[in-house]
Amino acid sequence: MAERPHLAVIGAGPAGLAAALTAARHGLRVTLVDAAAEAGGQFYRRPAAALGARRARALHHRWRTWERLSADLDRQRAAGRLRHLTSHQVWCVTRESDGPEASGAFTVHALVGPRQERGVTVRADAVLLATGGHEKVLPFPGWTLPGVLGAGGAQAMLKSGLVLPGRTVVVAGTGPLLLPVATGLAAAGARVAALVESADPRALARRPGALAACPGKLAEGAGYAARLLRHRVPFLPRHTVVEAHGGDRLDGVTVAALDAAGRPRPGSERRLDCDTLAVGHGMLAHTDLAETLGCGLDGLAVRVDGEQRTDVPGVWAAGEATGVGGAELALAEGRIAGRSAAARLTGRLPDPRSLAADSRERAALRRFAAALDAVCAPPVRWAERVTDETVVCRCEEVTAGTVRAARADLGAGDLRTVKLLTRAGMGWCQGRMCGPAVAGLAGCAETAVRRPFAHPVPLGVLAGRDEDGGDGDGCDADGVTDRPERDRPPPDPDQP
């Protein structure tokens, strides 16, 4: 039986791919675990082969980078240095020992099967978390109407299914994701009635240091601006969606200009007819797996050092999980993390020149991301526009008025107390979607919520049964247990 992998990398997006490939090239046995059927993550999402897309690259930015990553992935797999486990939804990672980095052991618990009904485990000496992030959408009156969806969701429909979410689309919110969404939809044939951005992009000009460090970002922004002009997409900076309208589905939105305090300016309201609203207010890091392992956080992201190591020995993290900053930053962090893991686990010193180059790139991109994050923050007064009747937590159908009453009448001062009093955050998403909105409406700090599982788990898996009722603990040659997970209980959410 072959030895178990040195390193399990969770997530096959830009950060995970860069980390796994770098570690494999530096001598580690790597298992790459990902929930998707193909590598690439959300950024490199591609149409299904059955659709016969002839120009899939037209929907993507930096396609040549993906081609290089894909080719290297094929080479490392063929050489036997890397195993790629697709359609494996990781729900927990546990530490098997308290030994040093080189001798510790981790178990990655995942779900497989058509309905994710069967549990498998992957054991490795170390773990690298590249779990990415998810979209943040803040509520407003009418946001639950059919036809309103996340900007990232609209992009995913186009990239993976070659499907337009609607014929006439308004793209709104704030953040850099809105640009590729609007230009992609327009290029695919949708009429984009407007790109509504609550921030003022000119504010970036007041941060010349961050811009000078990343000149390519300026060229990228200019390219998107040119495409918006070519497709005649109206751009409305310092505007926001006040309300979405419709009966059975969306038929229009009201937008308004924002004043200096972030409130809609009286008299600036206007209606835009549309059948689809693609809206987003930035991204949030996925930190569930890191938190169950006891990794510390900086705000809402995983805390790492200069080598992308967390404060738990044997655990690295890279990409959006350590702070949202885009694909280029994720690639740089992935390379640093993969090189560090290889050096720590094999005892071989990394190439100082490559490490220095990636570290410089990471520093510049982090500086730019911080500037962009400051400029593209949602309007500070957004909660004032949410009516009491607006549903905030869709899973449990909790309204804004209920959340406000929990604060005003019952003294709730934190997310956990609001959850206990209102059920906001107790549904399927466990507060991942509604958490920022509930915090804003309750006037409390937005904090990371520690959850025992990163994904819903069937009771049969927790009980140690597969669908046939059998049990076992045999491992294949790559350290993957393809039988039920009965050898270790789930983690206690109240223990570090």
Side-chain angles (χ1 to χ4, degrees), residues 221-400:
Y224 282 125
R227 274 173 269 176
L228 289 174
L229 287 172
R230 184 165 66 249
H231 292 291
R232 299 181 180 179
V233 176
F235 178 51
L236 304 178
R238 293 294 297 164
H239 279 66
T240 191
V241 171
V242 176
E243 185 176 359
H245 309 285
D248 293 336
R249 64 166 293 113
L250 181 76
D251 58 34
V253 297
T254 295
V255 301
L258 295 170
D259 62 19
R263 294 186 176 94
R265 196 168 64 238
S268 67
E269 299 87 354
R270 56 169 151 162
R271 179 186 168 106
L272 300 175
D273 292 330
C274 61
D275 56 32
T276 304
L277 171 63
V279 60
H281 299 95
M283 301 283 292
L284 295 170
H286 275 306
T287 61
D288 292 341
L289 295 178
E291 290 179 82
T292 59
L293 281 166
C295 301
L297 302 183
D298 280 333
L300 298 175
V302 182
R303 181 168 60 244
V304 292
D305 64 9
E307 295 183 31
Q308 300 296 136
R309 293 180 298 173
T310 72
D311 47 18
V312 174
V315 181
W316 283 258
E320 310 288 48
T322 67
V324 176
E328 291 176 78
L329 176 57
L331 289 167
E333 291 184 350
R335 291 191 297 268
I336 292 170
R339 196 178 291 113
S340 171
R344 297 282 173 175
L345 294 170
T346 66
R348 302 169 188 166
L349 293 177
D351 178 7
R353 291 174 298 179
S354 298
L355 180 61
D358 283 332
S359 296
R360 287 193 298 270
E361 182 179 8
R362 177 183 60 186
L365 289 168
R366 278 184 176 173
R367 188 175 181 184
F368 181 83
L372 197 61
D373 191 53
V375 169
C376 293
V380 293
R381 306 290 184 179
W382 67 265
E384 296 178 1
R385 303 194 301 273
V386 182
T387 61
D388 283 347
E389 297 76 21
T390 302
V391 172
V392 175
C393 173
R394 299 192 193 205
C395 297
E396 297 294 325
E397 299 185 351
V398 180
T399 64

Side-chain angles (χ1 to χ4, degrees), residues 89 93 301:
Q89 178 67 61
V93 181

